Amino acid sequence: MPPTAELIGAVLALAGAGAFNMHGSLLPQYRGRAPTNWAVLDGAVETGATLHWMVEAADAGDIVDQQSVPILPDDTGKDVLEKVAVAAEQVLVQSQLQMQVRQQALAAGTLQRMRQLHEKRYVSDRQLGQQEAILMEQEAAVVSARRQLSALAR
């Protein structure tokens, strides 16, 4: 049974200065689970990593920082996930360097926050299942074809 909004709110309230999450897309695009897989499935040309404030709704908080990565035509979900992981590290380092300035602005009530446009795509858990399985099959077929070509090309 998923946690209630009241429980989520109570847990988030424990973090006095706010709680943060690193998401594997350029929010507000591809909110929810498996964002890198969805980006590949949709034929997106870029995605990235987003550090955002946590709120009661999934992946809906204000954006702290983002870093984009390209998605090349031959990239698999795994390739994109690896690129996004590197981008996430870069976002964390950059955000850590700016944290003292942000903390001072937060305390002074002058912190500029980047709001998300909520009309963008939200990927719910219910949409995954069959489409996620199709994506994995497609990636397996691509890997198999690459291996066959590599074996023949000497």
Side-chain angles (χ1 to χ4, degrees):
M1 194 160 147
T4 64
E6 293 81 26
L7 177 60
I8 294 170
V11 170
L12 290 175
L14 294 174
F20 301 92
N21 179 57
M22 181 65 71
H23 184 73
S25 77
L26 295 174
L27 288 173
Q29 296 175 329
Y30 304 110
R31 288 190 197 123
R33 295 177 53 200
T36 54
N37 296 74
W38 281 108
V40 172
L41 183 63
D42 282 348
V45 296
E46 79 171 353
T47 191
T50 300
L51 182 64
H52 67 93
W53 294 81
M54 292 178 69
V55 295
E56 291 177 13
D59 304 324
D62 293 346
I63 295 169
V64 176
D65 200 2
Q66 295 180 307
Q67 175 67 45
S68 65
V69 298
I71 301 176
L72 303 177
D74 292 337
D75 279 350
T76 64
K78 181 178 184 279
D79 297 331
V80 176
L81 181 61
E82 290 170 354
K83 291 179 186 182
V84 169
V86 172
E89 290 175 18
Q90 293 170 347
V91 167
L92 286 174
V93 168
Q94 180 67 21
S95 295
Q96 187 176 19
L97 293 173
Q98 297 173 358
M99 195 55 67
Q100 184 176 9
V101 172
R102 285 189 175 129
Q103 285 175 337
Q104 291 169 349
L106 180 63
T110 60
L111 181 66
Q112 298 284 330
R113 292 173 67 147
M114 186 185 336
R115 306 259 184 239
Q116 291 191 46
L117 300 175
H118 293 286
E119 66 271 6
K120 295 285 187 167
R121 178 181 177 162
Y122 180 80
V123 179
S124 74
D125 297 344
R126 286 169 278 180
Q127 291 178 316
L128 294 173
Q130 184 181 9
Q131 289 185 355
E132 196 170 41
I134 290 169
L135 179 60
M136 286 191 235
E137 286 178 26
Q138 289 173 343
E139 287 183 1
V142 168
V143 170
S144 176
R146 284 184 187 162
R147 286 184 182 153
Q148 290 173 9
L149 287 172
S150 295
L152 296 174
R154 288 192 181 234

Coordinates of all heavy atoms in Angstrom, one line a residue, residues 28-112:
P28 N 10.4 19.0 -16.5 CA 9.3 18.1 -16.2 C 9.1 17.0 -17.1 O 8.1 16.2 -17.0 CB 8.1 19.1 -16.2 CG 8.5 20.1 -17.2 CD 10.0 20.3 -17.1
Q29 N 9.9 16.8 -18.1 CA 9.7 15.7 -19.0 C 10.1 14.3 -18.3 O 11.0 14.3 -17.5 CB 10.6 15.8 -20.2 CG 10.3 17.0 -21.1 CD 11.3 17.2 -22.2 OE1 12.4 16.8 -22.1 NE2 10.8 17.7 -23.3
Y30 N 9.3 13.3 -18.6 CA 9.5 12.0 -18.1 C 9.6 11.8 -16.6 O 10.4 11.2 -16.1 CB 10.8 11.4 -18.8 CG 10.7 11.4 -20.3 CD1 11.6 12.3 -21.0 CD2 9.9 10.6 -21.0 CE1 11.5 12.3 -22.4 CE2 9.8 10.7 -22.3 CZ 10.6 11.5 -23.0 OH 10.6 11.6 -24.4
R31 N 8.6 12.5 -16.0 CA 8.4 12.3 -14.5 C 8.1 10.8 -14.3 O 7.5 10.2 -15.2 CB 7.3 13.1 -14.0 CG 7.6 14.6 -13.9 CD 6.6 15.3 -13.1 NE 6.7 16.7 -13.4 CZ 5.7 17.4 -13.8 NH1 4.5 16.9 -14.1 NH2 5.9 18.7 -14.1
G32 N 8.4 10.3 -13.1 CA 8.0 8.9 -12.8 C 9.2 7.9 -13.0 O 10.3 8.3 -13.1
R33 N 8.8 6.7 -13.1 CA 9.8 5.6 -13.2 C 10.3 5.4 -14.6 O 9.7 5.8 -15.6 CB 9.1 4.3 -12.7 CG 8.7 4.3 -11.3 CD 8.1 3.1 -10.8 NE 8.8 1.9 -11.1 CZ 8.3 0.7 -11.2 NH1 7.1 0.5 -11.0 NH2 9.1 -0.3 -11.5
A34 N 11.6 4.9 -14.7 CA 12.3 4.5 -15.9 C 12.3 5.7 -16.9 O 12.1 5.5 -18.1 CB 11.6 3.3 -16.5
P35 N 12.7 6.9 -16.5 CA 12.7 8.0 -17.4 C 13.7 7.8 -18.6 O 13.4 8.3 -19.7 CB 13.1 9.2 -16.6 CG 13.9 8.6 -15.4 CD 13.2 7.3 -15.2
T36 N 14.9 7.2 -18.4 CA 15.8 7.0 -19.5 C 15.2 6.1 -20.5 O 15.4 6.3 -21.7 CB 17.2 6.6 -19.0 OG1 17.0 5.4 -18.2 CG2 17.9 7.6 -18.2
N37 N 14.6 5.0 -20.1 CA 14.0 4.1 -21.0 C 12.9 4.8 -21.8 O 12.8 4.5 -23.0 CB 13.4 2.9 -20.3 CG 14.4 2.1 -19.6 OD1 14.9 2.5 -18.6 ND2 14.8 0.9 -20.1
W38 N 12.1 5.6 -21.2 CA 11.0 6.3 -21.9 C 11.6 7.3 -22.9 O 11.0 7.4 -24.0 CB 10.1 7.1 -20.9 CG 9.1 6.1 -20.3 CD1 9.1 5.7 -19.0 CD2 8.0 5.5 -20.9 NE1 8.1 4.8 -18.8 CE2 7.4 4.7 -19.9 CE3 7.5 5.5 -22.2 CZ2 6.2 3.9 -20.2 CZ3 6.4 4.8 -22.5 CH2 5.8 4.0 -21.5
A39 N 12.7 7.9 -22.6 CA 13.3 8.9 -23.5 C 13.7 8.1 -24.8 O 13.5 8.6 -25.9 CB 14.4 9.6 -22.9
V40 N 14.4 7.0 -24.6 CA 14.8 6.2 -25.7 C 13.6 5.7 -26.5 O 13.6 5.8 -27.8 CB 15.7 5.0 -25.3 CG1 16.0 4.0 -26.4 CG2 17.0 5.5 -24.7
L41 N 12.6 5.2 -25.8 CA 11.4 4.6 -26.5 C 10.7 5.7 -27.3 O 10.3 5.5 -28.4 CB 10.5 4.1 -25.5 CG 9.2 3.4 -26.0 CD1 9.5 2.2 -26.8 CD2 8.3 3.0 -24.8
D42 N 10.7 6.9 -26.8 CA 10.0 8.0 -27.5 C 10.9 8.6 -28.6 O 10.4 9.5 -29.4 CB 9.7 9.2 -26.5 CG 8.5 8.9 -25.7 OD1 7.7 7.9 -26.0 OD2 8.2 9.6 -24.7
G43 N 12.2 8.2 -28.8 CA 13.0 8.8 -29.8 C 13.5 10.2 -29.5 O 13.9 10.9 -30.4
A44 N 13.6 10.5 -28.2 CA 14.1 11.8 -27.8 C 15.6 12.0 -28.2 O 16.3 11.0 -28.3 CB 14.0 12.0 -26.2
V45 N 16.0 13.2 -28.5 CA 17.4 13.4 -28.9 C 18.2 13.9 -27.7 O 19.5 14.0 -27.8 CB 17.5 14.5 -30.0 CG1 16.8 13.9 -31.3 CG2 16.9 15.8 -29.6
E46 N 17.6 14.2 -26.5 CA 18.4 14.5 -25.3 C 17.5 14.2 -24.1 O 16.3 14.2 -24.2 CB 18.8 16.0 -25.3 CG 17.8 17.0 -24.9 CD 18.3 18.4 -24.7 OE1 19.6 18.6 -24.7 OE2 17.5 19.3 -24.5
T47 N 18.2 14.0 -23.0 CA 17.6 13.9 -21.7 C 18.6 14.4 -20.7 O 19.5 15.2 -21.1 CB 17.1 12.4 -21.4 OG1 16.3 12.4 -20.2 CG2 18.3 11.5 -21.3
G48 N 18.6 14.0 -19.5 CA 19.6 14.5 -18.6 C 19.3 14.2 -17.1 O 18.5 13.2 -16.9
A49 N 19.8 14.9 -16.2 CA 19.6 14.7 -14.8 C 19.1 16.0 -14.2 O 19.6 17.1 -14.6 CB 20.9 14.3 -14.1
T50 N 18.2 15.9 -13.3 CA 17.6 17.1 -12.6 C 17.7 16.9 -11.1 O 17.2 15.9 -10.6 CB 16.2 17.3 -13.0 OG1 16.1 17.5 -14.4 CG2 15.5 18.5 -12.3
L51 N 18.2 17.9 -10.4 CA 18.2 17.9 -8.9 C 17.0 18.8 -8.6 O 16.9 19.9 -9.1 CB 19.4 18.5 -8.3 CG 19.5 18.5 -6.8 CD1 19.5 17.1 -6.2 CD2 20.8 19.3 -6.4
H52 N 16.0 18.3 -7.8 CA 14.8 19.1 -7.5 C 14.4 18.9 -6.0 O 14.8 18.0 -5.4 CB 13.7 18.7 -8.4 CG 13.2 17.3 -8.2 ND1 12.1 17.0 -7.4 CD2 13.6 16.1 -8.7 CE1 11.9 15.7 -7.4 NE2 12.8 15.1 -8.2
W53 N 13.7 19.9 -5.6 CA 13.1 19.9 -4.2 C 12.1 18.8 -4.2 O 11.3 18.7 -5.1 CB 12.5 21.2 -3.9 CG 13.4 22.4 -3.8 CD1 13.9 23.1 -4.9 CD2 14.0 23.0 -2.7 NE1 14.7 24.1 -4.4 CE2 14.8 24.0 -3.0 CE3 13.8 22.7 -1.3 CZ2 15.5 24.8 -2.1 CZ3 14.5 23.5 -0.4 CH2 15.3 24.5 -0.8
M54 N 12.0 18.1 -3.1 CA 11.0 17.1 -3.0 C 9.7 17.7 -2.4 O 9.8 18.5 -1.5 CB 11.5 15.9 -2.1 CG 12.6 15.1 -2.7 SD 13.2 13.8 -1.6 CE 11.8 12.7 -1.6
V55 N 8.6 17.3 -3.0 CA 7.3 17.7 -2.5 C 6.4 16.4 -2.5 O 6.9 15.3 -2.9 CB 6.6 18.7 -3.5 CG1 7.4 20.0 -3.4 CG2 6.5 18.2 -4.9
E56 N 5.2 16.5 -2.1 CA 4.3 15.3 -1.9 C 4.1 14.6 -3.2 O 4.0 13.4 -3.2 CB 3.0 15.7 -1.3 CG 3.2 16.1 0.2 CD 1.9 16.6 0.8 OE1 0.8 16.3 0.3 OE2 2.0 17.2 1.9
A57 N 4.0 15.3 -4.3 CA 3.8 14.6 -5.6 C 5.2 14.2 -6.2 O 6.2 14.9 -6.0 CB 3.1 15.6 -6.6
A58 N 5.2 13.1 -6.9 CA 6.4 12.5 -7.4 C 7.0 13.4 -8.5 O 6.4 13.9 -9.4 CB 6.1 11.1 -8.0
D59 N 8.3 13.7 -8.3 CA 9.1 14.5 -9.3 C 8.5 15.8 -9.7 O 8.6 16.2 -10.8 CB 9.4 13.6 -10.5 CG 10.0 12.3 -10.2 OD1 10.9 12.2 -9.2 OD2 9.7 11.3 -10.8
A60 N 7.8 16.5 -8.8 CA 7.1 17.7 -9.1 C 7.6 18.9 -8.5 O 7.1 20.0 -8.7 CB 5.6 17.5 -8.7
G61 N 8.7 18.8 -7.6 CA 9.2 20.0 -6.9 C 10.0 20.9 -7.8 O 10.4 20.6 -9.0
D62 N 10.3 22.1 -7.3 CA 11.0 23.1 -8.0 C 12.4 22.6 -8.4 O 13.0 21.8 -7.6 CB 11.2 24.4 -7.2 CG 9.9 25.1 -7.0 OD1 8.9 24.8 -7.7 OD2 9.8 25.9 -6.1
I63 N 12.9 23.0 -9.5 CA 14.2 22.5 -10.0 C 15.3 23.3 -9.4 O 15.3 24.5 -9.4 CB 14.2 22.6 -11.5 CG1 13.2 21.7 -12.2 CG2 15.6 22.4 -12.1 CD1 12.9 21.9 -13.6
V64 N 16.4 22.6 -8.9 CA 17.6 23.2 -8.4 C 18.6 23.4 -9.5 O 19.2 24.5 -9.7 CB 18.2 22.4 -7.2 CG1 19.5 23.0 -6.7 CG2 17.2 22.3 -6.1
D65 N 18.8 22.3 -10.3 CA 19.8 22.4 -11.3 C 19.6 21.2 -12.3 O 19.0 20.2 -11.9 CB 21.2 22.3 -10.8 CG 22.3 22.9 -11.7 OD1 22.0 23.3 -12.8 OD2 23.5 22.8 -11.4
Q66 N 20.1 21.4 -13.5 CA 19.9 20.3 -14.5 C 21.2 20.2 -15.4 O 21.9 21.2 -15.5 CB 18.7 20.6 -15.5 CG 17.4 20.6 -14.8 CD 16.3 20.8 -15.8 OE1 16.3 21.8 -16.5 NE2 15.3 20.0 -15.8
Q67 N 21.4 19.1 -16.0 CA 22.5 18.9 -16.9 C 21.9 18.0 -18.0 O 21.4 16.9 -17.7 CB 23.7 18.2 -16.3 CG 24.8 17.9 -17.2 CD 25.5 19.1 -17.8 OE1 25.8 20.1 -17.1 NE2 25.7 19.1 -19.1
S68 N 22.0 18.4 -19.3 CA 21.5 17.6 -20.4 C 22.6 16.7 -20.9 O 23.8 16.9 -20.8 CB 21.0 18.5 -21.5 OG 22.0 19.2 -22.1
V69 N 22.2 15.6 -21.6 CA 23.0 14.7 -22.3 C 22.4 14.3 -23.6 O 21.1 14.3 -23.7 CB 23.3 13.4 -21.5 CG1 24.1 13.7 -20.2 CG2 22.1 12.6 -21.3
P70 N 23.2 14.1 -24.7 CA 22.6 13.8 -26.0 C 22.2 12.3 -26.0 O 22.8 11.5 -25.3 CB 23.7 14.0 -27.0 CG 24.9 13.8 -26.2 CD 24.6 14.3 -24.8
I71 N 21.2 12.0 -26.8 CA 20.8 10.6 -27.0 C 21.1 10.3 -28.5 O 20.5 10.9 -29.4 CB 19.3 10.3 -26.7 CG1 19.0 10.6 -25.3 CG2 19.0 8.8 -27.1 CD1 17.5 10.4 -24.9
L72 N 22.1 9.5 -28.8 CA 22.5 9.2 -30.1 C 21.6 8.1 -30.7 O 20.9 7.3 -30.0 CB 23.9 8.8 -30.2 CG 24.9 9.8 -29.6 CD1 26.3 9.2 -29.6 CD2 24.8 11.1 -30.3
P73 N 21.5 8.0 -32.1 CA 20.5 7.1 -32.7 C 20.7 5.6 -32.3 O 19.8 4.9 -32.2 CB 20.8 7.2 -34.2 CG 21.3 8.6 -34.3 CD 22.1 8.9 -33.0
D74 N 22.0 5.2 -32.0 CA 22.2 3.8 -31.6 C 22.3 3.6 -30.1 O 22.5 2.5 -29.6 CB 23.6 3.4 -32.2 CG 23.5 3.3 -33.7 OD1 22.4 3.1 -34.3 OD2 24.6 3.3 -34.3
D75 N 22.0 4.6 -29.3 CA 22.0 4.5 -27.8 C 20.9 3.5 -27.4 O 19.8 3.6 -27.8 CB 21.9 5.8 -27.1 CG 23.2 6.6 -27.1 OD1 24.2 6.1 -27.4 OD2 23.1 7.8 -26.7
T76 N 21.3 2.7 -26.4 CA 20.3 1.9 -25.7 C 19.9 2.5 -24.4 O 20.5 3.5 -24.0 CB 20.9 0.5 -25.4 OG1 22.0 0.6 -24.5 CG2 21.4 -0.2 -26.7
G77 N 18.9 2.0 -23.7 CA 18.5 2.5 -22.4 C 19.7 2.5 -21.5 O 19.9 3.4 -20.7
K78 N 20.5 1.5 -21.5 CA 21.7 1.4 -20.7 C 22.7 2.5 -21.0 O 23.3 3.1 -20.1 CB 22.4 0.0 -20.8 CG 23.6 -0.2 -19.9 CD 24.1 -1.6 -20.1 CE 25.3 -1.9 -19.2 NZ 26.6 -1.4 -19.7
D79 N 23.0 2.7 -22.3 CA 23.9 3.8 -22.7 C 23.4 5.1 -22.1 O 24.2 5.9 -21.6 CB 24.0 3.9 -24.2 CG 24.5 2.6 -24.9 OD1 25.3 1.9 -24.2 OD2 24.2 2.4 -26.0
V80 N 22.2 5.4 -22.3 CA 21.6 6.7 -21.8 C 21.7 6.8 -20.3 O 22.0 7.8 -19.7 CB 20.2 6.9 -22.3 CG1 19.6 8.2 -21.8 CG2 20.2 6.9 -23.9
L81 N 21.4 5.7 -19.6 CA 21.4 5.7 -18.2 C 22.8 6.0 -17.7 O 23.0 6.7 -16.7 CB 21.0 4.3 -17.6 CG 21.0 4.2 -16.1 CD1 20.0 5.2 -15.5 CD2 20.6 2.8 -15.7
E82 N 23.9 5.4 -18.3 CA 25.2 5.7 -18.0 C 25.6 7.2 -18.2 O 26.3 7.8 -17.3 CB 26.2 4.8 -18.7 CG 26.1 3.4 -18.3 CD 26.9 2.4 -19.2 OE1 27.4 2.8 -20.3 OE2 26.9 1.2 -18.8
K83 N 25.1 7.8 -19.3 CA 25.3 9.2 -19.5 C 24.6 10.1 -18.5 O 25.2 11.0 -18.0 CB 24.8 9.6 -20.9 CG 25.6 9.0 -22.1 CD 24.9 9.5 -23.4 CE 25.5 8.9 -24.6 NZ 24.9 9.4 -25.8
V84 N 23.4 9.7 -18.1 CA 22.7 10.4 -17.1 C 23.3 10.3 -15.7 O 23.3 11.3 -15.0 CB 21.2 10.0 -17.1 CG1 20.4 10.5 -15.9 CG2 20.5 10.4 -18.4
A85 N 23.9 9.2 -15.4 CA 24.6 9.0 -14.1 C 25.8 10.0 -14.1 O 26.0 10.6 -13.0 CB 25.1 7.6 -14.0
V86 N 26.5 10.2 -15.1 CA 27.6 11.1 -15.2 C 27.1 12.6 -15.0 O 27.6 13.4 -14.3 CB 28.5 11.0 -16.5 CG1 29.5 12.1 -16.6 CG2 29.2 9.6 -16.5
A87 N 26.0 12.9 -15.7 CA 25.4 14.2 -15.6 C 24.9 14.5 -14.2 O 25.0 15.6 -13.7 CB 24.2 14.3 -16.6
A88 N 24.4 13.4 -13.5 CA 23.9 13.6 -12.1 C 25.1 13.9 -11.2 O 25.0 14.8 -10.3 CB 23.2 12.3 -11.6
E89 N 26.2 13.3 -11.4 CA 27.4 13.6 -10.6 C 27.8 15.1 -10.9 O 28.1 15.8 -9.9 CB 28.6 12.7 -11.0 CG 28.4 11.3 -10.6 CD 29.5 10.4 -11.1 OE1 30.6 10.9 -11.5 OE2 29.3 9.2 -11.1
Q90 N 27.8 15.5 -12.1 CA 28.1 16.9 -12.4 C 27.2 17.9 -11.8 O 27.6 18.9 -11.2 CB 28.1 17.1 -13.9 CG 29.3 16.4 -14.6 CD 29.1 16.4 -16.1 OE1 28.1 16.8 -16.7 NE2 30.2 16.0 -16.8
V91 N 25.9 17.6 -11.8 CA 24.9 18.4 -11.1 C 25.1 18.5 -9.6 O 25.1 19.6 -9.0 CB 23.4 17.9 -11.4 CG1 22.4 18.6 -10.5 CG2 23.1 18.1 -12.9
L92 N 25.4 17.4 -9.0 CA 25.7 17.4 -7.6 C 26.9 18.2 -7.2 O 26.9 19.0 -6.2 CB 25.9 15.9 -7.0 CG 24.6 15.2 -6.9 CD1 24.8 13.7 -6.6 CD2 23.6 15.8 -6.0
V93 N 28.0 18.1 -8.0 CA 29.2 18.8 -7.7 C 28.9 20.3 -7.9 O 29.3 21.1 -7.0 CB 30.4 18.4 -8.7 CG1 31.5 19.4 -8.6 CG2 30.8 17.0 -8.3
Q94 N 28.3 20.7 -9.0 CA 27.9 22.1 -9.2 C 27.0 22.7 -8.1 O 27.2 23.8 -7.6 CB 27.2 22.3 -10.6 CG 26.9 23.7 -11.0 CD 28.1 24.6 -11.2 OE1 29.2 24.1 -11.4 NE2 27.8 25.9 -11.1
S95 N 26.0 21.9 -7.8 CA 25.1 22.3 -6.7 C 25.8 22.4 -5.4 O 25.4 23.3 -4.6 CB 23.9 21.4 -6.6 OG 23.2 21.4 -7.8
Q96 N 26.7 21.5 -5.1 CA 27.4 21.6 -3.8 C 28.2 22.9 -3.7 O 28.3 23.5 -2.7 CB 28.3 20.4 -3.6 CG 28.9 20.3 -2.3 CD 29.7 19.0 -2.1 OE1 30.1 18.4 -3.1 NE2 30.0 18.7 -0.9
L97 N 28.8 23.2 -4.9 CA 29.6 24.5 -4.9 C 28.8 25.7 -4.7 O 29.2 26.7 -4.1 CB 30.4 24.6 -6.3 CG 31.4 23.6 -6.6 CD1 31.9 23.7 -8.0 CD2 32.6 23.7 -5.6
Q98 N 27.5 25.6 -5.1 CA 26.6 26.8 -4.9 C 25.8 26.7 -3.6 O 25.0 27.6 -3.3 CB 25.7 26.9 -6.1 CG 26.4 27.1 -7.4 CD 25.4 27.0 -8.6 OE1 24.3 26.7 -8.4 NE2 25.9 27.2 -9.8
M99 N 25.9 25.6 -2.9 CA 25.1 25.4 -1.7 C 25.1 26.5 -0.7 O 24.1 26.9 -0.1 CB 25.4 24.0 -1.1 CG 24.3 23.6 -0.1 SD 22.6 23.5 -0.8 CE 22.8 22.2 -2.0
Q100 N 26.3 27.0 -0.4 CA 26.4 28.0 0.7 C 25.7 29.3 0.3 O 24.9 29.9 1.1 CB 27.9 28.4 0.9 CG 28.0 29.4 2.1 CD 29.5 29.7 2.4 OE1 30.4 29.2 1.7 NE2 29.7 30.4 3.5
V101 N 25.8 29.7 -1.0 CA 25.1 30.8 -1.5 C 23.6 30.6 -1.4 O 22.8 31.4 -1.0 CB 25.5 31.2 -2.9 CG1 24.6 32.3 -3.6 CG2 27.0 31.6 -3.0
R102 N 23.1 29.4 -1.8 CA 21.7 29.0 -1.8 C 21.2 29.0 -0.4 O 20.1 29.4 -0.1 CB 21.5 27.7 -2.5 CG 21.6 27.7 -4.0 CD 21.1 26.4 -4.6 NE 21.1 26.6 -6.0 CZ 21.7 25.7 -6.8 NH1 22.3 24.7 -6.4 NH2 21.6 25.9 -8.2
Q103 N 22.0 28.5 0.6 CA 21.5 28.4 2.0 C 21.3 29.9 2.5 O 20.4 30.1 3.2 CB 22.5 27.7 2.8 CG 22.5 26.2 2.6 CD 23.6 25.4 3.4 OE1 24.6 26.0 3.7 NE2 23.3 24.2 3.6
Q104 N 22.2 30.8 2.2 CA 22.1 32.2 2.6 C 20.9 32.8 2.0 O 20.1 33.5 2.7 CB 23.4 32.9 2.2 CG 24.6 32.5 3.0 CD 25.9 33.2 2.5 OE1 25.9 33.7 1.4 NE2 26.9 33.0 3.2
A105 N 20.6 32.5 0.7 CA 19.4 33.1 0.1 C 18.2 32.5 0.6 O 17.1 33.2 0.8 CB 19.5 32.8 -1.4
L106 N 18.2 31.2 1.0 CA 17.0 30.5 1.5 C 16.7 31.1 2.9 O 15.6 31.5 3.2 CB 17.3 29.0 1.7 CG 16.2 28.2 2.3 CD1 14.9 28.2 1.4 CD2 16.6 26.7 2.5
A107 N 17.8 31.3 3.7 CA 17.6 31.9 5.0 C 17.0 33.4 4.9 O 16.2 33.8 5.7 CB 18.9 31.9 5.8
A108 N 17.5 34.1 3.9 CA 17.0 35.5 3.7 C 15.7 35.6 3.0 O 15.1 36.7 2.9 CB 18.1 36.2 2.9
G109 N 15.2 34.4 2.5 CA 13.9 34.4 1.8 C 14.1 35.0 0.4 O 13.1 35.4 -0.2
T110 N 15.3 35.0 -0.2 CA 15.5 35.5 -1.5 C 15.9 34.5 -2.6 O 16.3 34.8 -3.7 CB 16.6 36.6 -1.5 OG1 17.8 36.0 -1.0 CG2 16.2 37.8 -0.6
L111 N 15.8 33.2 -2.2 CA 16.2 32.1 -3.1 C 15.3 32.1 -4.3 O 14.1 32.0 -4.2 CB 16.2 30.8 -2.4 CG 16.6 29.6 -3.2 CD1 18.1 29.7 -3.6 CD2 16.4 28.3 -2.5
Q112 N 15.9 32.2 -5.5 CA 15.1 32.1 -6.7 C 14.9 30.6 -7.0 O 15.8 29.8 -7.1 CB 15.9 32.7 -7.9 CG 16.1 34.2 -7.8 CD 14.8 35.0 -8.0 OE1 14.0 34.6 -8.8 NE2 14.7 36.1 -7.4

